Amino acid sequence: MQITDVLGAGDINSAISECKAPDSFDFKKFFGTCGLTKKSIEDLRKVFAILDQDGSGCIDKTELKLFLQYFSTDARVLSDSEAQSMLSAADNNGDGKIGFEGKFNTFFKQNIWAMREKLRSETTVL
């Protein structure tokens, strides 16, 4: 499976463009721009499986550093601080890994669904 089986290529390109500069990666903004905020749990599970390159059921810092390259092979590698920022936000037990069923799922529910609601409220005409 490829990431473009879940997300649109145009959205991915836009998201990658927003974080080309070193230390400019903002995971919340990236998730919104690439379209993850509009995806179901099943689609998020598919994306998680793509990011989990070693098939361990968890995403570690090494996999996070390559995060952007899973979306586009031309993308840059995340800096240690960018990868650590995302890891810290989603690692609830301090083991240095993100599992889908645990904190990753909670992380997405808190971030993705909150962003969905914000987008809905911004587009609602009163």
Side-chain angles (χ1 to χ4, degrees):
M1 170 168 283
Q2 297 180 339
I3 201 86
T4 52
D5 293 338
V6 180
L7 301 170
D11 292 334
I12 291 170
N13 290 335
S14 294
I16 295 292
S17 293
E18 290 178 351
C19 55
K20 280 187 176 181
D23 291 314
S24 64
F25 179 72
D26 176 333
F27 63 87
K28 290 180 183 180
K29 186 175 182 181
F30 185 89
F31 294 161
T33 302
C34 75
L36 280 171
T37 57
K38 300 174 186 169
K39 297 299 173 183
S40 67
I41 280 289
E42 292 78 26
D43 285 339
L44 294 177
R45 191 179 307 277
K46 291 174 187 174
V47 171
F48 184 89
I50 293 167
L51 299 175
D52 178 20
Q53 288 290 296
D54 64 3
S56 67
C58 295
I59 299 171
D60 61 24
K61 189 173 178 180
T62 301
E63 290 166 319
L64 284 177
K65 287 186 75 171
L66 301 175
F67 179 85
L68 294 177
Q69 293 182 338
Y70 302 137
F71 289 82
S72 173
T73 55
D74 297 341
R76 68 181 178 85
V77 173
L78 292 179
S79 68
D80 283 336
S81 63
E82 289 171 317
Q84 186 60 50
S85 174
M86 192 162 36
L87 182 62
S88 295
D91 177 13
N92 66 335
N93 63 4
D95 68 352
K97 298 175 185 176
I98 305 167
F100 186 83
E101 297 304 328
K103 186 68 173 184
F104 185 82
N105 202 351
T106 302
F107 173 71
F108 267 92
K109 284 179 183 174
Q110 290 172 347
N111 290 290
I112 299 297
W113 275 264
M115 290 171 64
R116 266 190 197 172
E117 290 305 313
K118 182 179 179 198
L119 288 171
R120 285 184 187 140
S121 67
E122 289 174 355
T123 58
T124 302
V125 178
L126 299 177

